[in-house]
């Protein structure tokens, strides 16, 4: 029982820190609430789709920005727009915020600014992925010892 | 605008009279969800299922029309398939936008009665206005939350039940929308408003009269033209 409580407390602390540090926002909490015994892996599944999206879109942006002659900023913007949408839907706040700045640079057709944002967004995506993997691992550990995952408001 | 309640009522009477051995969930609302984003499709699907709706999720307007049997290139095979009670679609999609899909549905005699809800990540009044004028039932600003789905389902469910008794009930909803009119304050926008919360409709900015392209990722909508009512972050 002590192990369960310990793990649960760890989970709550970690979850809370993700919020506090801005990695996730309220939308992520909304998604956690949609998980139940009928759909126990819902959040993990959405997160996987999101990370797939990230990789694909970041590659698109990188390719478009590589063009030395004329960067197709509309194309870059279209990818950023999609990434902004996905990150918003999953509650990936920091990624989303970079996307917002990124779009301004696209609109201004500022290649340097875009490249900086691309770097930032790649960094934030990778950070978030690690964080969420840690969170999901904690969840698995709790379930493995027969505990239930706390719902954090 | 014609009421969807009438169609629902007819459908249910048919089922009863024909002793249809369809699954016991004839009460369940069947929603066709349209979104090109895999993440968003997954989320809306879950939101709808957890709200006891049957869901068919497709990734484009074209596929939505195919599912309905409206696609010009494929002939309807005569089968009814599952009746669709509500269509919820993203606005910004490659190929056919949600707006274009909405128009096609409202132009179709067979399907114009189906309520259509538009979702968009961008809170652009001109866009919302255009969709409502074209016959959209509601407009949800993304990210979609459970409360958004509940609200939609509530007035759909009410139409189901009420449709049997008093078809006139639909008028209330139309009145509600008409009274909002160009003040453009469907619940979804109010619920996602920023701290400068407004209990009445927001003041109109000149941008409402400007036509924006159907779906350019807001290149024409600079922050100054939008109302300061972004969805809460």
């Amino acid at each position: 029982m002590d192990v369960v409580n310990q793990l649960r407390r760890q989970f709550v602390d970690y979850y809370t820190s993700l919020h506090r540090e801005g990695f996730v926002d309220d939308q992520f909490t909304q998604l956690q609430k949609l998980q139940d015994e009928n759909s126990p892996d819902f959040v993990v599944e959405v997160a996987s789709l999101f990370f797939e999206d990230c990789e694909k879109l970041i590659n698109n942006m990188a390719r478009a920005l590589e063009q030395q002659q004329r960067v197709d900023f509309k194309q870059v913007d279209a990818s950023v727009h999609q990434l902004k949408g996905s990150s918003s839907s999953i509650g990936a706040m920091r990624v989303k915020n970079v996307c917002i700045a990124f779009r301004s640079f696209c609109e201004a057709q500022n290649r340097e600014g875009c490249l900086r944002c691309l770097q930032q967004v790649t960094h934030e995506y990778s950070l978030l992925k690690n964080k969420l993997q840690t969170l999901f691992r904690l969840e698995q550990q709790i379930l493995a010892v027969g505990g239930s995952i706390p719902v954090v408001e | 605008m014609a009421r969807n309640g009438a169609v629902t009522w007819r459908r249910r009477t048919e089922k009863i009279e024909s002793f249809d051995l369809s699954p016991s969930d004839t009460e369940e609302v069947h929603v066709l969800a349209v979104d090109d984003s895999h993440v968003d499709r997954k989320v809306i699907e879950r939101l709808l299922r957890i709200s006891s709706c049957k869901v068919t999720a497709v990734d484009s307007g074209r596929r939505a029309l195919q599912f309905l049997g409206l696609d010009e290139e494929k002939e309807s095979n005569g089968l009814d398939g599952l009746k669709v009670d509500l269509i919820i679609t993203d606005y910004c999609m490659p190929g056919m936008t949600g707006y274009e899909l909405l128009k096609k549905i409202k132009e179709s005699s067979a399907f114009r009665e189906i309520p259509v809800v538009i979702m968009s990540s961008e809170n652009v009044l001109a866009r919302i206005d255009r969709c409502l004028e074209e016959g959209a039932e509601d407009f949800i600003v993304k990210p979609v939350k459970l409360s958004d789905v509940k609200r939609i389902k509530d007035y759909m469910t009410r139409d189901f039940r009420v449709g049997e008794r008093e078809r006139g009930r639909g008028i209330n909803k139309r009145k509600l929308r008409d009274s909002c009119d160009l003040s453009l304050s469907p619940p979804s926008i109010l619920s996602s408003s920023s701290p400068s919360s407004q209990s009445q409709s927001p003041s109109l900015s000149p941008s409402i009269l400007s036509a924006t392209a159907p779906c350019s990722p807001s290149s024409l909508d600079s922050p100054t033209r939008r109302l300061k009512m972004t969805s809460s972050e």
Side-chain angles (χ1 to χ4, degrees):
Chain A
M1 254 316 161
D2 206 46
V3 175
V4 175
N5 284 334
Q6 214 174 4
L7 285 169
R8 279 168 61 93
R9 201 172 47 237
Q10 244 182 300
F11 176 88
V12 172
D13 287 345
Y14 198 70
Y15 191 97
T16 312
S17 76
L18 290 185
H19 262 274
R20 199 176 49 241
E21 290 163 23
F23 284 102
V24 299
D25 61 24
D26 185 58
Q27 181 65 11
F28 187 73
T29 306
Q30 297 279 321
L31 296 187
Q32 290 281 119
K33 289 183 182 169
L34 299 180
Q35 194 162 270
D36 62 18
E37 56 282 349
N38 294 323
S39 201
D41 299 315
F42 173 67
V43 181
V44 173
E45 286 165 3
V46 179
S48 302
L49 289 176
F50 173 65
F51 292 133
E52 271 173 33
D53 246 12
C54 278
E55 279 167 37
K56 186 184 77 182
L57 293 169
I58 286 173
N59 282 337
N60 288 351
M61 295 168 204
R63 258 199 317 275
L65 285 167
E66 262 168 26
Q67 307 304 317
Q68 290 300 331
Q69 295 98 320
R70 272 201 70 229
V71 174
D72 187 347
F73 285 101
K74 272 184 113 164
Q75 202 188 357
V76 182
D77 185 66
S79 291
V80 180
H81 172 76
Q82 280 190 60
L83 184 58
K84 179 171 164 264
S86 304
S87 56
S88 162
S89 295
I90 195 182
M93 193 164 86
R94 276 156 72 139
V95 175
K96 184 187 71 177
N97 286 340
V98 178
C99 290
I100 293 171
F102 204 154
R103 294 196 75 194
S104 301
F105 285 116
C106 289
E107 215 170 320
Q109 308 213 349
N110 181 334
R111 190 166 175 266
E112 282 311 307
C114 283
L115 285 169
R116 271 198 312 275
C117 283
L118 178 63
Q119 211 172 16
Q120 254 183 296
V121 93
T122 307
H123 178 65
E124 288 299 339
Y125 144 69
S126 135
L127 273 180
L128 179 66
K129 192 168 180 184
N130 281 336
K131 296 275 177 183
L132 289 187
Q133 278 169 349
T134 303
L135 187 75
F136 297 147
R137 224 175 8 249
L138 271 171
E139 284 185 349
Q140 289 309 307
Q141 285 176 315
I142 293 171
L143 295 173
V145 296
S148 64
I149 299 163
V151 176
V152 189
E153 290 296 335
Chain B
M1 200 170 308
R3 286 298 314 128
N4 57 310
V7 171
T8 324
W9 174 78
R10 274 205 299 280
R11 229 183 293 133
R12 292 202 56 203
T13 335
E14 279 167 18
K15 281 217 155 91
I16 293 164
E17 287 173 354
S18 64
F19 301 100
D20 198 353
L21 290 180
S22 36
S24 57
D25 51 1
T26 47
E27 299 281 343
E28 266 199 340
V29 173
H30 177 216
V31 183
L32 177 63
V34 191
D35 201 318
D36 63 310
S37 159
H38 204 163
V39 170
D40 288 356
R41 262 199 319 280
K42 178 115 187 139
V43 173
I44 192 73
E45 217 174 342
R46 181 73 192 134
L47 287 170
L48 288 165
R49 289 223 167 96
I50 216 173
S51 308
S52 308
C53 297
K54 281 206 289 281
V55 192
T56 300
V58 298
D59 64 3
S60 70
R62 175 87 188 276
R63 283 206 218 278
L65 292 177
Q66 280 171 10
F67 183 81
L68 292 169
L70 272 179
D71 194 27
E72 288 111 24
E73 293 179 30
K74 287 190 175 181
E75 284 175 7
S76 172
N77 57 10
L79 292 177
D80 279 332
L82 270 178
K83 288 281 196 290
V84 171
D85 300 304
L86 172 80
I87 296 168
I88 183 165
T89 177
D90 189 25
Y91 183 97
C92 250
M93 296 187 290
M96 190 186 300
T97 66
Y99 175 72
E100 286 158 359
L101 175 62
L102 167 69
K103 277 179 75 169
K104 286 221 151 59
I105 289 164
K106 293 303 169 187
E107 281 162 12
S108 135
S109 47
F111 298 106
R112 72 162 70 103
E113 301 289 315
I114 303 179
V116 181
V117 173
I118 309 281
M119 306 177 280
S120 175
S121 55
E122 296 176 89
N123 196 355
V124 179
L125 288 191
R127 177 180 295 184
I128 296 166
D129 190 18
R130 203 189 311 128
C131 290
L132 292 178
E133 277 188 355
E134 200 59 42
E137 208 66 26
D138 203 339
F139 191 101
I140 299 175
V141 179
K142 286 180 164 182
V144 185
K145 298 176 171 41
L146 195 56
S147 51
D148 296 318
V149 173
K150 280 197 149 87
R151 188 184 72 247
I152 290 166
K153 209 195 156 215
D154 275 348
Y155 64 64
M156 284 232 40
T157 310
R158 190 182 64 219
D159 287 339
F160 261 131
R161 285 186 265 108
V162 169
E164 290 183 285
R165 295 194 295 271
E166 15 165 292
R167 267 180 283 168
R169 182 66 83 92
I171 291 170
N172 286 348
K173 198 156 72 71
R174 198 164 58 233
K175 267 196 185 149
L176 179 66
R177 186 144 43 85
D178 285 348
S179 71
C180 291
D181 209 14
L182 280 178
S183 41
L184 298 164
S185 52
S188 58
I189 297 170
L190 289 177
S191 64
S192 54
S193 62
S194 64
S196 60
S197 54
Q198 343 203 353
S199 50
Q200 66 249 19
S201 34
S203 55
L204 301 180
S205 73
S207 66
I208 293 180
L209 305 172
S210 67
T212 54
C215 182
S216 57
S218 72
S219 52
L220 299 174
D221 303 311
S222 68
T224 50
R225 290 161 90 187
R226 276 185 236 174
L227 283 194
K228 305 277 185 287
M229 277 169 52
T230 54
S231 47
S232 54
E233 314 294 13

